[in-house]
Amino acid sequence: MNIHEFQAKALFEKFGVAVPRGAPARSAADFGPALDQLDAKGGLMVKSQIHAGGRGKGVFKDGFKGGVKFAPTREKALELAGAMLGNTLVTAQTGPEGRKVQTIYFTEAASLGKRPNGRDDEYYLAILLDRTTSRPVIVASTEGGVEIEKVAHETPDRIFKVHVDPAVGLQPFQARQVAFALGFSGDLLKQCATLVTKLYAFFWEKDCSMVEVNPLLVTAEGRLLALDAKVSFDDNALFRHPDVLALRDLNEEDAKEIEASKFGLSYIALDGDIACLVNGAGLAMSTMDIIQHFGGSPANFLDVGGGASKEQVTAAFRIILGDPNVKGILVNIFGGIMDCDIIANGIVEAVRETGLKLPLVVRLEGNNVEAGKATLAASGLTIVSGDSMADAARKIVALVTP
Amino acid sequence: MSILVKEDTRVLVQGITGDFGARHARLSIDYGSQIVAGVTPGKGGQTFEHNGRKVPIFNTVADAARQTGATVSAIFVPPPFAADAILECVDADLDLAVAITEGIPVRDMVRAKRAMQGRRTRLIGPNCPGLVTPGRGDKSHGGCRIGIAPGYIHRRGNVGVVSRSGTLTYEAVWQLTCRGKGQSTCVGIGGDPVNGTSHLDVIRLFNDDPETEAIIMIGEIGGNAEVEAARWIKQHCKKPVAGFIAGATAPAGRRMGHAGAVIGGAEDTAAAKIKIFQECGISVAETPSDMADALLRIWKG
């Protein structure tokens, strides 16, 4: 689960990680009271709150440029916020449909320090799981404010990593190692080690899957601040963090994905035109792949789980048909334990209930498969049967290709 | 031989009184597996009955192992308590803990995996279909089925199968069985980012198993476990290997059902993994329909 920057920073503050002073506003009427809490002397930042990166370089649908902007005065901040709120921001990560901005976050602009060589004093800091070692890893770089993937690719020597042993947790010497690697000394060394320690405590206690601060910055006054904050949580651990779950913003999630999750279905919308309904995540992924292999384009990932019920199959059809781009459906079920006949009945019922007009190819395999195929054939519905995954994929691609 | 479990391996089931655990305990008993004990804290002394078989229930894994000789546990415990169930197996020095449970918090697994270091117990999973060593009876009856895989699709033979995914494993097994090729052992290592046994761990076991003559390795996007295994195969594996990678069409940054199936960087895309498979001499199945045939192109059995 992802949260907004203003929510992440509120959590940072709770854990003692320094951030610029800020205040969120959800409506134009809230702009004034939010700004009243801040000191506009050094200027203000006006930041669109959406769950996608690349906001600064994003463009709004009405042509207004930049989802994160500097305002030298309170008046300018009000004007910029008015232009952003309710507008739809398109960034490199949102896709062409963009995201509607429903919250504006005002912060006091930090006075950016300079390094002795004249460069902006910006750094990168993140904590995430290293799958290779099954341990949390702290990633730090002197190259802040740019995409870390680019740094990793071009100058991997400028990325410093320290792994944390979960048996003992982050040790003070490791926090100092991070601070030394970033080139800090004196008071900043202490500030950095403290910040790393507190950020790790947050990561661990709140079951984060990733915490990213980019940039981490040193102000002209010599203060270390988390200028941006990107946080995501382990969905599997949300049951023990009701405070985190309360931060969930359903506006940022696909309505069909939310609907699917209510039925225990795992659904992800894609931009093709062949919908698929499959049991098992691995088989669902490879069903998408085989559609593409035979020249089609998958409209979604949909895993009905290992033991799909009739209700789930019907719900799955409804969700699939809610996507106007869908021109055909491929059902691929390997009924290992499940009775294929029960699945077949579910499909027949779902087709009748939804009044399906689109081409439908069904590939059933496994337990009681002959009865299942007979049920489909006896239904009087135009359901095309596929003998293997390849056969089924070829058939649905042929049916939707004009 | 086979790997990890044999026909006569004695198995206990943690969570045998829950719906999910009970259902699959019954199916394993029907398949002829040696389900010798159940563990549900607080229900020690009761019995689990199915088709005339009486399986004693114990309060602790240690009691169950001591009194029944069980060496392997199948874990069907709900996610909040599953890491604890795994560590109870470790404490009882079982040979193998197979965690079927889906949805265990990553932090719990990070701690559990650390605590398992240097201990006797091996973990398979979590979030996995388990493993099957097929039997020699009709429809492979009499084998050792631990977890949720359908037993009857198997046939005893000489191909080892390792995969993260359940249904994709069944697909490969069924393709093999339909072509008259049986399996030594089929292992589902699970779809989570932190798991107990990797592709490479299983490949090493297959390489050392005299009954296994050929291997199918099924992987997916995310992480570098398949790549690590492929590089080892190139250097050390004496047996023909076919492979498949799921997720060629998955968009970057989205979790595709399995918590581990997220493309993070350039190295863990399907295309990158497939290329490395080919470089390492693995016969790559172009589609999931082609997994058994990809193996049969390089192995005549």
Side-chain angles (χ1 to χ4, degrees):
Chain A
M1 189 189 97
N2 296 317
I3 59 172
H4 290 294
E5 175 198 358
F6 75 95
Q7 297 168 322
K9 284 189 176 165
L11 287 169
F12 276 17
E13 280 194 294
K14 238 182 233 173
F15 278 78
V17 175
V19 298
R21 243 177 6 150
R26 286 192 172 78
S27 70
D30 291 341
F31 289 167
L35 287 168
D36 289 345
Q37 300 170 45
L38 306 177
D39 180 357
K41 197 166 71 239
L44 295 159
M45 296 304 295
V46 183
K47 310 181 93 174
S48 303
Q49 299 294 290
I50 57 168
H51 287 185
R55 292 173 298 164
K57 288 181 187 147
V59 178
F60 288 91
K61 283 228 161 141
D62 65 357
F64 185 80
K65 281 189 185 139
V68 175
K69 289 199 127 164
F70 174 72
T73 62
R74 177 186 165 109
E75 289 65 40
K76 184 68 183 168
L78 280 168
E79 182 196 322
L80 290 171
M84 292 177 189
L85 188 71
N87 207 342
T88 300
L89 181 60
V90 180
T91 80
Q93 291 180 21
T94 59
E97 71 280 7
R99 295 271 175 82
K100 190 171 172 187
V101 176
Q102 311 208 4
T103 304
I104 301 293
Y105 187 43
F106 299 102
T107 68
E108 292 176 5
S111 52
L112 183 61
K114 296 282 178 193
R115 293 186 211 174
N117 63 6
R119 276 193 44 201
D120 289 345
D121 223 354
E122 296 185 310
Y123 304 85
Y124 176 92
L125 183 63
I127 309 175
L128 65 161
L129 171 77
D130 177 31
R131 290 176 57 158
T132 311
T133 57
S134 298
R135 290 178 178 208
V137 60
I138 299 174
V139 180
S141 173
T142 51
E143 311 303 294
V146 293
E147 274 181 38
I148 196 66
E149 290 79 7
K150 205 172 157 216
V151 181
H153 185 68
E154 290 168 8
T155 48
D157 56 306
R158 291 190 192 156
I159 291 186
F160 177 78
K161 291 182 184 173
V162 57
H163 288 86
V164 181
D165 183 341
V168 292
L170 178 71
Q171 297 300 297
F173 78 88
Q174 294 182 300
R176 290 197 299 273
Q177 281 178 339
V178 173
F180 284 124
L182 294 181
F184 292 126
S185 58
D187 183 56
L188 276 169
L189 174 73
K190 272 190 210 153
Q191 280 192 53
C192 182
T194 305
L195 184 141
V196 168
T197 306
K198 290 178 168 168
L199 202 64
Y200 184 81
F202 166 64
F203 170 85
W204 187 254
E205 281 176 34
K206 291 293 176 188
D207 281 287
C208 296
S209 43
M210 191 191 67
V211 175
E212 190 182 49
V213 178
N214 189 22
L216 174 72
L217 141 161
V218 179
T219 67
E221 300 80 34
R223 274 188 77 209
L224 196 62
L225 285 182
L227 203 66
D228 197 4
K230 203 169 155 190
V231 171
S232 59
F233 298 92
D234 177 5
D235 291 345
N236 291 344
L238 289 173
F239 70 86
R240 58 188 173 207
H241 301 294
D243 56 329
V244 170
L245 194 55
L247 300 176
R248 185 172 176 192
D249 183 352
L250 294 178
N251 290 318
E252 290 288 330
E253 297 176 28
D254 185 291
K256 294 200 290 290
E257 292 177 18
I258 297 168
E259 177 70 9
S261 67
K262 287 183 196 156
F263 291 91
L265 307 169
S266 171
Y267 172 92
I268 294 169
L270 301 167
D271 46 18
D273 53 13
I274 298 178
C276 33
L277 189 166
V278 189
N279 67 328
L283 198 63
M285 254 191 286
S286 40
T287 302
M288 290 160 38
D289 297 345
I290 202 167
I291 288 170
Q292 191 175 59
H293 181 81
F294 288 112
S297 174
N300 64 272
F301 167 93
L302 200 165
D303 172 14
V304 294
S309 68
K310 215 150 55 170
E311 291 70 33
Q312 282 180 310
V313 174
T314 312
F317 267 84
R318 264 208 317 275
I319 289 159
I320 283 173
L321 293 172
D323 177 352
N325 296 325
V326 169
K327 290 191 197 138
I329 301 174
L330 172 57
V331 175
N332 182 18
I333 302 283
F334 196 104
I337 302 292
M338 272 191 305
D339 187 327
C340 285
D341 195 30
I342 291 175
I343 297 292
N345 276 301
I347 294 169
V348 168
E349 198 163 300
V351 170
R352 292 218 169 102
E353 207 178 301
T354 54
L356 181 74
K357 300 276 183 291
L358 301 172
L360 169 64
V361 176
V362 176
R363 181 267 180 149
L364 282 179
E365 189 58 84
N367 194 9
N368 207 11
V369 63
E370 293 313 322
K373 285 185 176 171
T375 298
L376 293 180
S379 69
L381 300 165
T382 40
I383 299 174
V384 179
S385 174
D387 288 332
S388 67
M389 276 178 82
D391 182 49
R394 263 193 225 104
K395 281 177 174 161
I396 191 66
V397 171
L399 283 166
V400 302
T401 308
Chain B
M1 282 292 284
S2 53
I3 65 165
L4 299 165
V5 292
K6 297 184 290 197
E7 288 102 316
D8 59 355
T9 297
R10 296 170 78 78
V11 180
L12 67 87
V13 177
Q14 282 170 278
I16 198 167
T17 51
D19 286 347
F20 191 36
R23 177 158 184 243
H24 286 284
R26 285 186 211 107
L27 287 164
S28 285
I29 290 169
D30 291 342
Y31 188 61
S33 304
Q34 300 304 307
I35 304 297
V36 297
V39 174
T40 300
K43 293 193 178 170
Q46 300 181 13
T47 39
F48 177 84
E49 292 193 35
H50 177 60
N51 276 352
R53 280 278 294 277
K54 284 190 166 67
V55 179
I57 298 174
F58 298 87
N59 283 324
T60 70
V61 172
D63 284 350
R66 194 165 43 238
Q67 295 189 37
T68 66
T71 56
V72 174
S73 175
I75 298 171
F76 289 92
V77 171
F81 319 110
D84 180 54
I86 292 169
L87 291 176
E88 195 179 347
C89 297
V90 175
D91 180 67
D93 280 329
L94 296 191
D95 290 340
L96 188 66
V98 183
I100 308 303
T101 310
E102 177 178 1
I104 305 179
V106 170
R107 190 179 78 189
D108 294 5
M109 282 311 304
V110 165
R111 291 175 65 231
K113 191 163 179 182
R114 175 67 177 87
M116 293 182 85
Q117 268 181 24
R119 301 298 301 261
R120 175 188 175 82
T121 309
R122 173 192 286 282
L123 172 68
I124 303 262
N127 187 15
C128 78
L131 65 163
V132 176
T133 289
R136 294 169 203 279
D138 179 40
K139 292 183 177 172
S140 77
H141 189 270
C144 183
R145 168 190 183 270
I146 299 174
I148 57 174
Y152 69 91
I153 63 170
H154 296 81
R155 173 186 168 133
R156 183 61 176 237
N158 307 102
V159 182
V161 179
V162 56
S163 167
R164 288 185 196 276
S165 146
T167 39
L168 211 45
T169 310
Y170 314 157
E171 186 75 39
V173 167
W174 186 238
Q175 287 172 20
L176 286 166
T177 296
C178 289
R179 285 159 181 75
K181 303 297 175 200
Q183 304 89 39
S184 51
T185 303
C186 303
V187 186
I189 59 172
D192 275 6
V194 176
N195 61 6
T197 296
S198 68
H199 279 96
L200 176 55
D201 295 332
V202 179
I203 296 283
R204 281 172 188 267
L205 295 170
F206 281 140
N207 195 43
D208 293 339
D209 172 36
E211 190 179 343
T212 303
E213 292 176 13
I215 300 164
I216 292 183
M217 171 165 75
I218 304 166
E220 58 192 42
I221 51 167
N224 71 340
E226 295 88 347
V227 167
E228 175 196 47
R231 296 210 165 111
W232 187 89
I233 286 168
K234 186 182 182 184
Q235 294 256 307
H236 305 284
C237 190
K238 308 181 290 251
K239 302 174 182 179
V241 181
F244 176 71
I245 296 286
T249 43
R254 296 300 309 267
R255 159 178 165 163
M256 306 306 280
H258 286 163
V262 177
I263 297 175
E267 290 279 295
D268 58 1
T269 63
K273 289 188 180 185
I274 288 168
K275 186 160 172 280
I276 292 165
F277 270 26
Q278 286 164 338
E279 287 165 5
C280 293
I282 295 168
S283 174
V284 176
E286 274 198 42
T287 74
S289 278
D290 187 42
M291 290 187 286
D293 289 334
L295 181 65
L296 294 175
R297 283 199 286 275
I298 54 166
W299 176 67
K300 299 305 164 205

